Amino acid sequence: QVQVVESGGGLVQPGGSLRLSCVASGRILDISAMGWYRQAPGKEREMVARVVPHGATNYADSVKGRFTISKDNAKNTMYLQMNSVKPEDTAVYYCNAQGYYITASRFDTWGQGTQVTVSS
C-alpha cells in the first residue's frame, strides 16, 4: 500500500508565498506521475500542476507564472512553490501519485489534503 501525505498549508496574505510538500511512501517501485489538485468550497476538484514521465510539467492557466512544481525522485517527494497568491487560490490542495508497486501492479493514490487560505 502507498501512502501520500501533504504538508505546508496554512494562512497566507494576498501576494505572499507558500510551499507545499507531498511525500509518497510504501512498497514503491516507480512513480510515473505526481500532481497537485485543489478543491474550493462548492467547486469541483481541478488540476493545479502535474509532473509526468520524463519530467514534463503541466500547469493550470490560472497558476502559470506564479506556481512551480518540482519533484525529488530520490525522496519520492513533490513540492509546489506558490508565489503571488490570490484569494481565489484558497482551497484544499490534494496530492496524487501514480506508479507501480514492487509487485509491478499499478497504484493511483490521493492524500488527505492540506488547507490553503489566502486572506488579509
Side-chain angles (χ1 to χ4, degrees):
Q1 189 174 359
V2 173
Q3 293 81 40
V4 174
V5 179
E6 306 97 335
S7 62
L11 175 65
V12 59
Q13 293 186 344
S17 298
L18 206 61
R19 189 192 195 207
L20 305 183
S21 299
C22 170
V23 180
S25 61
R27 300 170 67 82
I28 298 170
L29 173 65
D30 176 68
I31 297 178
S32 55
M34 291 185 81
W36 289 100
Y37 297 74
R38 67 187 181 187
Q39 187 166 18
K43 295 187 176 181
E44 294 187 353
R45 189 174 298 189
E46 63 174 358
M47 190 274 289
V48 176
R50 195 163 177 254
V51 181
V52 296
H54 307 300
T57 56
N58 303 125
Y59 292 92
D61 288 343
S62 58
V63 307
K64 283 181 180 177
R66 300 188 298 121
F67 292 8
T68 302
I69 190 171
S70 60
K71 185 168 172 278
D72 185 333
N73 293 325
K75 297 180 179 180
N76 288 338
T77 300
M78 176 180 64
Y79 306 95
L80 184 69
Q81 179 66 42
M82 306 168 62
N83 296 329
S84 302
V85 296
K86 304 175 181 180
E88 51 263 43
D89 294 322
T90 295
V92 177
Y93 283 70
Y94 297 91
C95 174
N96 173 262
Q98 300 174 8
Y100 294 89
Y101 293 105
I102 60 174
T103 57
S105 59
R106 278 190 57 84
F107 65 84
D108 184 343
T109 304
W110 291 87
Q112 293 299 307
T114 185
Q115 176 71 46
V116 172
T117 303
V118 182
S119 175
S120 54

